[in-house]
Amino acid sequence: LDLVSASGVVFSTQVRALLETSLVLLKNSEKFDSVRFLGKIAGTRQDYYIAQGLGSNHLSDRKYFFSMDAVQWSRLPEIHPVLQATCLKIKSRFTGSASHEYTVVEPAASTAGSVPADVIAVRKEDRKDDGTINYVTVVTEERRLAALVYAIDHEAGVVPRGAYHKSPTGQVEPNPRFEGPSTADSKKLQSDSHFRHAAGPKKSHKRN
């Protein structure tokens, strides 16, 4: 909670006390190795508090939660990449109601691989007289919130190089020998790395 204040997010004494207590309870009830408070997403009527729970493998064993009162936490749903891309096209502000529904209309496009049932259930085709086809997708704000949180963590989740290591059992866990970067290194962009699975091996370009 002290770290988010540097970005201008300051909570009242009451909210801070609620968060400090409820996050400990969340960690214990879900048996997490640690819980991180990620911040707040503002809504027009109510705000969302966001937290991340880490299991024994900090890289792959992650769960995300939201709360509207800083006391009760609900897990954000998993979301298919196709549906996530649709959700991220919504540009209006969040309302603060997890059940609020948005309708997204977008040109139909071929999707590689099969689309799961949960995407098919919220999407229909709208065929125009000129032969064009649009996808009309109805998504809840809860799913939109999940799409945004996952996108932010994927794009902006970074850790200092050397802060984590891979154990003999294959778990990605904090490096107990890591004491933090030096003052000079902390100012260098290359001292940090994205904390996520690699997107894929780089393609080598062979010269003829």
Side-chain angles (χ1 to χ4, degrees):
L1 293 178
D2 291 329
L3 297 177
V4 297
S5 61
S7 60
V9 180
V10 180
F11 300 111
S12 66
T13 303
Q14 179 184 4
V15 171
R16 185 184 177 95
L18 291 174
L19 286 172
E20 288 177 342
T21 302
S22 65
L23 289 173
V24 172
L25 294 175
L26 177 65
K27 175 185 175 183
N28 294 337
S29 64
E30 297 289 336
K31 296 180 172 57
F32 287 130
D33 186 58
S34 66
V35 168
R36 296 171 177 172
F37 179 70
L38 299 185
K40 181 181 73 172
I41 294 178
T44 56
R45 296 195 298 266
Q46 201 166 359
D47 300 333
Y48 295 104
Y49 301 101
I50 308 298
Q52 178 191 66
L54 302 175
S56 56
N57 189 322
H58 285 203
L59 182 61
S60 59
D61 188 9
R62 304 184 196 177
K63 295 178 182 178
Y64 299 83
F65 297 82
F66 74 95
S67 175
M68 302 171 76
D69 59 5
V71 177
Q72 299 294 328
W73 293 89
S74 300
R75 184 180 174 186
L76 285 171
E78 299 291 335
I79 187 166
H80 190 274
V82 170
L83 197 56
Q84 182 184 24
T86 296
C87 290
L88 293 177
K89 293 178 180 179
I90 303 172
K91 302 303 180 184
S92 60
R93 291 187 61 185
F94 284 87
T95 66
S97 173
S99 60
H100 180 78
E101 291 186 341
Y102 299 87
T103 300
V104 183
V105 180
E106 56 190 327
S110 59
T111 304
S114 59
V115 178
D118 60 335
V119 176
I120 297 175
V122 298
R123 170 176 288 180
K124 65 179 182 179
E125 291 185 355
D126 180 22
R127 295 180 179 270
K128 301 297 183 181
D129 294 337
D130 59 2
T132 60
I133 303 175
N134 288 333
Y135 285 145
V136 181
T137 310
V138 179
V139 294
T140 62
E141 186 157 286
E142 182 181 26
R143 281 185 166 175
R144 182 192 174 193
L145 182 65
L148 180 63
V149 170
Y150 297 148
I152 291 174
D153 191 40
H154 180 78
E155 296 295 332
V158 297
V159 294
R161 291 186 180 275
Y164 282 83
H165 70 165
K166 200 168 188 178
S167 70
T169 59
Q171 302 279 53
V172 177
E173 56 189 22
N175 183 359
R177 297 183 179 180
F178 181 73
E179 298 180 351
S182 64
T183 302
D185 288 340
S186 64
K187 300 177 182 178
K188 299 176 182 178
L189 187 62
Q190 60 267 32
S191 296
D192 295 322
S193 63
H194 279 100
F195 193 49
R196 66 190 186 196
H197 290 286
K202 293 182 179 179
K203 295 182 180 179
S204 59
H205 300 280
K206 296 182 180 180
R207 295 182 178 179
N208 294 328

